[in-house]
Amino acid sequence: MRFFNDSRKTARRMYKKLHLNWLFNTSTFIGNLFIALIISYFFRRLGYGEAVDFVFLVSILSVGLWVTEAIPPFAVGILIISLLSFGFGTDYLLETKFPVELFTGTWTSNVIWLLLGGFYLAEGMRIAGLDRALFRFTVERFGNQEDKLLLGLMFTTAIASMVMSNTATTAMMITSVLPLVHTIGKSSPFSKAILTGIPAAASVGGVGTIIGSTPNAIAVGALQEVGIYISFTDWMVIGFPMAIILVYMFWYFLKSRLRLGEVRLNLDEILQTNQNTDKFKRRAVMVTVSVTIIMWLTEYFHGLPVAATSAIPILFLTITQVIRAEHVRKLPWDTLMLVAGGLALGIAIVKVGLAEIVINEINALPISVLFVTIIFSVLAVLVSNVMSNTAAASILVPLAASLALPFGITAPIIVALSCSCAVLLPVSTPANAIAYSTGMMEQKDFRQGGIFFIILAPIFAFGTVMLWYLIAF
C-alpha cells in the first residue's frame, strides 16, 4: 500500500476509493459540531446570556462548516436560518424571542434582489453575446498573454466597480470570461486566477469612490453627523490609489503564486465565434444594460434604491423574451441561499448584542487609541468575512467615530476601507458568491486571496488614511 505524508489526504483518497464520501462528510460535520460545543461551553461561562451564547454557537459552527465544506455552502446558509428560526421563534430552546420573519426575510433583502438583477443581466448578456464583446474589448487593449490579460480584466473590473455595483460588475465580467474558462478547463491555473482575481478586484475596487461600496457611504454619513464633510473628491484621493495599488499587488501575487508566465492564449476560436444572435434580443439587452447602469449611477438624483433598480433587467428581459422560463431555472439559486444565510447570521449577531460585546471588550483594553484603531481595522476585515460588510460597517463605524481625535475622523474611514476587502469565503461578498456560483471554484480557492487581503488591507487602509489626514488637516 502506498502511504502519503499528509494523513488527511490519505484519508480522503481512501474514502473516495471505498465510495464512502458520505461517511467522511458526516464525521467532519460531527467534528465541527463537537468543536463548536466545546468553544461555546467556555464562552457560556462568561455569563452574557443564553441568546448571545446560542448565536455564538451558531456562528462558530457555521464558520467551521464553511471552511471544512462538510456540507455544501448553500446548505450552511439554510442551516443558519433554520437554527435561528427554531431558537428564537419557538419555546423549546430560548426565552428570548424574535420574529421568525427577521431571519427568513433575508430572502427578500436588498442584497438578494441586487444579486438576482445581476444574474439576469449576466444571463441576458450571455444570450445576446455581449459577454464575448466585453471580453474582446479587453483582449484588444491588453493582448492574449496570460499575465497581461489577467491584469486587464482585473483593472477593468476595479474601475467599473467604482461607479456601479460590485455585484453587477462581477456578474458581467465573470460572464464575459466564462467561455474562455470553459475552453481551458477549471483545473487550469489561469482559470483559477481569473475567477479569483475578478471578484477580488470588484470588491477592492469599490473603495475607490463613495458610491463604490456601501461601507464607504456609511462612513461618510457617520462623519457628517459629527460635522466632518467628506466630498466625492476627498474620498477618491484616499480610496482610488489604495484600490489600484492593492489590485496590482494581488495581480502580481496571483501571477507569482499560480506561475502565470508569458504564455499566449489561442483566443481566435472564442473571439471569432459567431452566435448568430437575434438582433432584436441583442438591442434589447444593450438597452437594458445601459438603462440599468445609468439608473445605478444616478441614484443620488432620482432616489431609487439600487436594489429596486434590479427590477429593470428582471422585467425588461422577460418582457422582450430574451430570458425565458428555462433560463430562469438555470440561475444559481443556491448562491442566493448562501447569501441569505450569511445575512441572517449578521442580523442575529447584531440583535442579541454579540457584536457590541466584542467591541466593548476591545475598548476596555488598557491600550492606546492608536492601537485600538489598528484593532478596529483588523476586526473589520475579519468580521466582514463571515457576515455582510454592510452590517459590519454599520456596527463598527459608529463606534470608531466615537474615538478621540484625530482617530474619530480617520478610524471610520479605515474601518470602511477594510470592510470592503473581505474575500476569504464565498459568503464573504456577493462578488465571491457569483464566482463560486459558476461551479468552477471550490471554497479553498478563495483562501489565499482572503489571507492576502486580511494582512495587507488594514495596513494600506491605516497608512493611506493617516497620510491623507496629515496632509489635509
Side-chain angles (χ1 to χ4, degrees):
M1 177 182 290
R2 181 183 175 186
F3 292 93
F4 302 95
N5 293 328
D6 192 329
S7 60
R8 291 171 299 178
K9 290 183 178 179
T10 305
R12 286 180 184 273
R13 295 181 186 183
M14 291 180 66
Y15 275 126
K16 287 180 179 179
K17 289 181 180 180
L18 295 173
H19 301 287
L20 294 177
N21 285 341
W22 65 270
L23 182 59
F24 183 83
N25 291 338
T26 302
S27 60
T28 304
F29 182 91
I30 295 174
N32 276 293
L33 179 59
F34 182 70
I35 293 173
L37 288 171
I38 293 177
I39 296 174
S40 298
Y41 171 78
F42 289 103
F43 181 81
R44 185 178 182 181
R45 301 175 68 178
L46 297 176
Y48 288 119
E50 60 175 9
V52 175
D53 296 338
F54 179 70
V55 173
F56 181 81
L57 170 63
V58 174
S59 301
I60 296 298
L61 176 61
S62 302
V63 172
L65 293 175
W66 274 324
V67 171
T68 60
E69 303 179 52
I71 58 177
F74 75 88
V76 181
I78 296 175
L79 178 64
I80 290 172
I81 296 175
S82 301
L83 289 175
L84 294 176
S85 299
F86 180 75
F88 293 107
T90 67
D91 298 322
Y92 296 105
L93 289 181
L94 307 172
E95 294 182 2
T96 304
K97 293 292 178 290
F98 293 118
V100 174
E101 293 77 12
L102 187 66
F103 309 113
T104 59
T106 55
W107 276 99
T108 58
S109 70
N110 290 342
V111 174
I112 297 297
W113 282 105
L114 184 59
L115 272 172
L116 189 57
F119 291 156
Y120 266 77
L121 278 180
E123 183 67 10
M125 290 180 64
R126 183 193 67 80
I127 294 171
L130 293 180
D131 52 347
R132 296 177 185 269
L134 183 60
F135 180 70
R136 185 180 295 109
F137 170 81
T138 305
V139 171
E140 290 174 353
R141 296 296 183 275
F142 290 89
N144 61 350
Q145 194 170 298
E146 278 187 345
D147 51 353
K148 292 182 179 179
L149 179 58
L150 176 63
L151 179 63
L153 291 170
M154 291 177 67
F155 271 151
T156 301
T157 303
I159 297 298
S161 67
M162 294 181 186
V163 294
M164 61 183 290
S165 160
N166 300 344
T167 304
T169 302
T170 304
M172 289 191 294
M173 293 301 295
I174 289 292
T175 304
S176 71
V177 301
L178 274 182
L180 172 60
V181 174
H182 285 300
T183 299
I184 62 180
K186 71 176 184 179
S187 61
S188 167
F190 188 59
S191 295
K192 299 294 185 185
I194 290 177
L195 295 177
T196 304
I198 286 178
S203 298
V204 177
V207 308
T209 63
I210 293 176
I211 64 174
S213 182
T214 306
N216 302 351
I218 293 174
V220 171
L223 289 174
Q224 285 180 348
E225 292 182 3
V226 296
I228 304 297
Y229 177 73
I230 304 294
S231 69
F232 194 91
T233 305
D234 290 333
W235 189 279
M236 286 198 68
V237 170
I238 302 169
F240 187 83
M242 174 180 167
I244 295 300
I245 292 174
L246 279 178
V247 169
Y248 181 83
M249 291 182 66
F250 188 51
W251 164 78
Y252 191 82
F253 171 81
L254 290 174
K255 172 187 173 182
S256 303
R257 185 73 179 177
L258 298 176
R259 298 179 181 178
L260 303 180
E262 298 181 355
V263 177
R264 294 188 177 275
L265 301 169
N266 184 5
L267 306 176
D268 294 339
E269 182 178 350
I270 297 175
L271 295 178
Q272 295 176 5
T273 299
N274 184 9
Q275 292 185 312
N276 296 321
T277 307
D278 187 326
K279 290 184 178 181
F280 172 77
K281 290 184 177 181
R282 190 179 184 91
R283 289 168 183 166
V285 173
M286 291 179 66
V287 171
T288 303
V289 170
S290 301
V291 172
T292 304
I293 292 177
I294 291 173
M295 292 294 288
W296 276 334
L297 294 178
T298 57
E299 179 185 357
Y300 176 81
F301 301 100
H302 56 70
L304 189 65
V306 173
T309 304
S310 297
I312 294 176
I314 296 174
L315 181 62
F316 284 6
L317 295 180
T318 304
I319 290 177
T320 55
Q321 295 293 295
V322 174
I323 292 182
R324 300 175 181 270
E326 59 268 22
H327 301 129
V328 175
R329 284 192 287 269
K330 294 179 181 179
L331 294 178
W333 296 102
D334 58 330
T335 301
L336 301 184
M337 300 178 192
L338 168 68
V339 175
L343 292 173
L345 181 60
I347 291 173
I349 290 174
V350 174
K351 283 292 183 180
V352 302
L354 179 57
E356 186 177 355
I357 289 171
V358 174
I359 301 303
N360 288 340
E361 291 297 325
I362 291 177
N363 286 331
L365 295 175
I367 55 179
S368 66
V369 180
L370 172 64
F371 195 68
V372 170
T373 303
I374 296 174
I375 292 177
F376 267 113
S377 63
V378 175
L379 188 62
V381 69
L382 290 176
V383 171
S384 295
N385 273 301
V386 294
M387 64 184 292
S388 163
N389 61 6
T390 300
S394 299
I395 299 166
L396 297 176
V397 165
L399 294 172
S402 65
L403 297 176
L405 293 176
F407 300 104
I409 298 175
T410 57
I413 303 176
I414 293 172
V415 167
L417 295 176
S418 298
C419 282
S420 296
C421 296
V423 294
L424 181 65
L425 300 168
V427 74
S428 298
T429 170
N432 274 16
I434 290 172
Y436 182 79
S437 71
T438 63
M440 311 290 283
M441 296 283 285
E442 299 178 14
Q443 286 199 84
K444 63 182 180 181
D445 295 325
F446 294 100
R447 292 174 191 166
Q448 291 183 348
I451 295 172
F452 176 91
F453 286 108
I454 286 174
I455 296 173
L456 289 185
I459 296 174
F460 271 81
F462 183 85
T464 303
V465 175
M466 294 307 298
L467 179 62
W468 164 79
Y469 180 83
L470 292 175
I471 296 175
F473 292 87

